[in-house]
Amino acid sequence: QREQPLSQDSNQEERNAAALFNLGVIYDDIGDYQRAKETYREVLHVEPTMIEAKVNLAIILDKEGLSQDSLTQYKDALKVNPKEPKIY
């Protein structure tokens, strides 16, 4: 197997994270919050700074009454970009 240049690997990871994020949104939309949570966590493993995944995960955790875990996700999102309007 051929080695990919670093920039191509990075771009592939970003595309994978985006695809996973979209899958998480679909699970979220159909009410499968367990799969949505798992998928958003997988996104954050690949792309730890994706604010949208942090916020969506925080919303689900809050709905489930896990406010401390939810707050942690919001705080992490703020660390990435304190001016991001999606957080508020």
Side-chain angles (χ1 to χ4, degrees):
Q1 179 176 343
R2 224 175 56 170
E3 289 295 316
Q4 298 288 332
L6 188 56
S7 62
Q8 283 187 336
D9 286 344
S10 177
N11 288 338
Q12 183 64 38
E13 284 182 9
E14 287 175 18
R15 285 193 299 274
N16 289 346
L20 279 171
F21 176 78
N22 290 335
L23 181 60
V25 169
I26 291 168
Y27 286 138
D28 203 348
D29 286 347
I30 64 171
D32 191 341
Y33 301 120
Q34 184 60 38
R35 282 189 176 163
K37 280 191 313 187
E38 291 168 4
T39 305
Y40 291 139
R41 285 189 171 118
E42 194 173 342
V43 169
L44 294 170
H45 178 75
V46 174
E47 186 63 45
T49 60
M50 185 182 281
I51 290 174
E52 296 86 350
K54 290 180 182 296
V55 170
N56 288 4
L57 178 57
I59 291 168
I60 293 171
L61 292 169
D62 192 49
K63 286 179 186 176
E64 294 181 335
L66 301 169
S67 12
Q68 199 59 40
D69 293 336
S70 175
L71 187 58
T72 299
Q73 291 301 320
Y74 281 120
K75 285 180 179 179
D76 286 350
L78 282 170
K79 289 176 190 173
V80 174
N81 183 354
K83 296 181 180 182
E84 174 59 56
K86 292 175 186 156
I87 300 169
Y88 303 97

